[in-house]
Amino acid sequence: MRSLCFDQIDQAFNAAGIELTDEDIAGFVSGFDRGISMRLDTPRAAKRYGNGLMFALPMLKGEANIVDLLLIEAVRAFFPTIYDVIRDNYADFSGVDSEHLRHGQDRPRAASLLNPIVDKLTIDEQQGIKSLLKSLFPRLGREYGGGGYGPDCLSSWAKLKRICSPDYCPRYFTYSVPKSDVRDSEMNELYAKAAKQSAAEVEETIVVFFTSGKAKRVIERMRQHVDQMPSEAVASLCVAIAKNGYHIPNPPSLFTSAKPVSQAGILISHMISRLTAGEPRVMLAKEVVAAAEPVWFGHEVLRWLYVTDDADKADSNTLTKDEVNELAMLLVERIKARANSGQPLFSVDVPQEQFLLFEWWRVEGREPVQAHLSSVFTEDPTSIGLFLQAMAGQSWGLEDLLPRVGRLDANRLKSIKHIYDLDALAELIQAHLPGNFANPQYFSDGAESIEQQLAEQFMYVYNLWKKDGETPEADGGSDDSINDLASTDVDPN
C-alpha cells in the first residue's frame, strides 16, 4: 500500500513538473510514516490522495512549501474531519499564540477544536496525528508535547512558505494566492528584472504593484527576503521604491515605525546595507535621497540609515553619522527648493512633512527656517493655526479608533523653539487666532475650536515660562525634544 501510494505521488509530481530535493523527500517520508501510514489500508485511499495532489500541486507550484503541502493533503485524504476543522479555522492554527496565552493556563483554541475528534481515534492514530500536526503547526506544541514558539519565528516560517506562516496558510486551503497578496513567482521576476535593468524599467513594475493596492504587501515580502535578493538588484529597487513614495500607504498609526512608509524606509536601509560599507553605500543613498518623492520620504529613509549611537549596536547602522550628515545636506537642498516654491513645510494630514523643518534646522540653524515660516504666515495668517495643529501631532485614547489632535505641552514648545522664536510666535497667535489670552486655559471643556484650544495651550505654557522660567532641558540647543515628536529609538528589525 505504501509503495502504491508513493507511485501516485510520483505521477502527480511528474504531471506538475516538480522535483523534490533529498531533504524534501526525507521530511515528507518522516511525516507521512509518523502520522498517516496507519490509515493507509486500501488502494482507494492511495488513489484518493494521488488525485488530490494532481489538483493541488499545479495550483501551488512555487507558492507553498512542498513538504507541508504534501502532508496537509495527506491529512485531507486520510483524516478528512480533522482537515475540515483546520481549513475552517486556519487562523487559529497558523502563527503563534499571544504572550498572554503562552504564559497562561488556557488551552489553545486550535487544540480545543480538534480534541473532540482526536479523542475518538485509536491510541496509535492519536499519537501519529498529534505528532504530524505539531510539526505542521507549532502553535499546537504546548498542547501536544512540543516546544514553545514566539513571534520571532514568523519571519523564518514566511521565508520557507510554511503552512504555519499566517501569510502563507490561506493558500493551502484556497489553492490560490489571495488578490491582496503577491505571488512568489512575481516577486522572483521582479528581483530578476532589477538585477539586469535600470531603476526606470523596474519602476514600471513597482508602480503596477503600488497602484493596485499591494504596496504594503510587496514591502513586507521584500523585507522578509532582503537577505536573499540578488545584490545586483538592490540599486534599481531602492531608487524605484523611493520615486514612488506617494503610492505607499501612510495611515494614522500609534506605532509610527509600523507604517508602510516607515517599513519602506527600513527596507531601503537594509537593502543598502547589502552593499560594501563606505562609498558604495553612500553613493546609492545619495541617489535615493535625490530621487525620493515626496521629499519627506527622503527624510524617512535618512532616519533609518543611522539608528543608534550605542557602539555595541553599531551593526544596526547602515551608514556612519558623518555619512548621514553628508546626506542631510543633500536633502536640505531639496527642502530649500521646496520652500522657495512657496509650499509650506508642514501639514496636518501628513505628519512627516514637518520633520523637513527640523532637518533644515539641524543643518543650517533656526534663522532660514523661521524666515520661511514667517513668509508663509504673512501670506496666509490662517496657516498659523494649521502650524500649531501640525506641531501638536496626534494622540490616541484607550478606546480611540482614529487619532485626535494632540496637545501643545512643554515638550512640543521646546521643539517649536528650535525652528521659531516663541516670543514672535506668541505675538502672531494673539494677533490672528481666537482665544482668551488674558486667562488662557490648558484644558478646555471641548466647546472651543481646535484652533482656539491649541492657541490657549501654547499661551498657557508660554506665560508659565515667562513667569517661572523655562525648564533647563529647553536650553543648550539639544534636540531631544524633537525625538518626542517621532522617536526612532526602536529596533529597525
Side-chain angles (χ1 to χ4, degrees), residues 97-278:
D97 286 320
S98 66
E99 184 174 356
H100 171 75
L101 185 56
R102 291 200 305 272
H103 291 89
Q105 299 300 317
D106 295 335
R107 171 172 291 176
R109 185 169 185 268
S112 298
L113 291 169
L114 285 181
N115 285 348
I117 301 172
V118 173
D119 289 345
K120 296 178 181 178
L121 303 175
T122 67
I123 297 300
D124 287 343
E125 289 174 334
Q126 288 184 35
Q127 292 176 345
I129 195 62
K130 285 181 178 181
S131 177
L132 174 59
L133 290 179
K134 72 181 181 184
S135 68
L136 288 174
F137 302 104
R139 195 170 184 171
L140 289 167
R142 185 163 63 86
E143 180 72 11
Y144 288 168
Y149 295 84
D152 55 323
C153 298
L154 297 176
S155 177
S156 61
W157 292 343
K159 288 180 180 178
L160 296 172
K161 308 177 188 180
R162 293 287 313 276
I163 192 173
C164 50
S165 166
D167 293 334
Y168 282 87
C169 189
R171 301 183 180 189
Y172 288 83
F173 302 101
T174 62
Y175 302 103
S176 64
V177 178
K179 291 182 178 180
S180 59
D181 205 345
V182 185
R183 299 184 71 88
D184 290 67
S185 57
E186 291 178 303
M187 295 301 298
N188 292 334
E189 289 172 4
L190 172 62
Y191 298 147
K193 185 176 185 179
K196 298 179 180 179
Q197 301 180 8
S198 67
E201 293 169 306
V202 174
E203 186 181 358
E204 297 175 3
T205 304
I206 292 293
V207 169
V208 171
F209 281 143
F210 282 15
T211 57
S212 61
K214 296 183 178 181
K216 180 176 182 292
R217 185 64 183 129
V218 168
I219 292 166
E220 290 174 347
R221 296 290 303 279
M222 292 178 73
R223 284 213 60 198
Q224 290 170 351
H225 299 280
V226 68
D227 294 334
Q228 286 79 42
M229 69 175 60
S231 58
E232 299 84 359
V234 166
S236 294
L237 287 171
C238 285
V239 176
I241 293 171
K243 292 177 69 175
N244 288 278
Y246 279 115
H247 299 308
I248 302 175
N250 187 29
S253 176
L254 178 60
F255 302 104
T256 58
S257 62
K259 287 185 175 185
V261 290
S262 293
Q263 289 293 301
I266 295 171
L267 168 65
I268 290 175
S269 174
H270 285 186
M271 286 197 291
I272 292 175
S273 70
R274 294 285 310 280
L275 304 183
T276 303

Side-chain angles (χ1 to χ4, degrees), residues 83-97:
Y83 176 88
D84 289 344
V85 171
I86 298 172
R87 178 199 59 204
D88 295 341
N89 302 277
Y90 61 76
D92 293 302
F93 287 82
S94 62
V96 296
D97 286 320

Side-chain angles (χ1 to χ4, degrees), residues 30-105:
S30 174
F32 186 90
D33 287 346
R34 184 173 67 248
I36 301 298
S37 58
M38 77 287 293
R39 282 279 181 114
L40 184 58
D41 53 5
T42 66
R44 183 177 181 182
K47 186 67 174 178
R48 183 172 62 246
Y49 180 40
N51 288 340
L53 294 180
M54 282 286 191
F55 172 80
L57 291 176
M59 301 290 285
L60 291 177
K61 180 180 179 181
E63 304 296 333
N65 182 288
I66 199 66
V67 175
D68 284 0
L69 180 58
L70 289 172
L71 292 175
I72 196 63
E73 284 298 311
V75 174
R76 180 176 183 235
F78 297 100
F79 292 91
T81 54
I82 289 178
Y83 176 88
D84 289 344
V85 171
I86 298 172
R87 178 199 59 204
D88 295 341
N89 302 277
Y90 61 76
D92 293 302
F93 287 82
S94 62
V96 296
D97 286 320
S98 66
E99 184 174 356
H100 171 75
L101 185 56
R102 291 200 305 272
H103 291 89
Q105 299 300 317

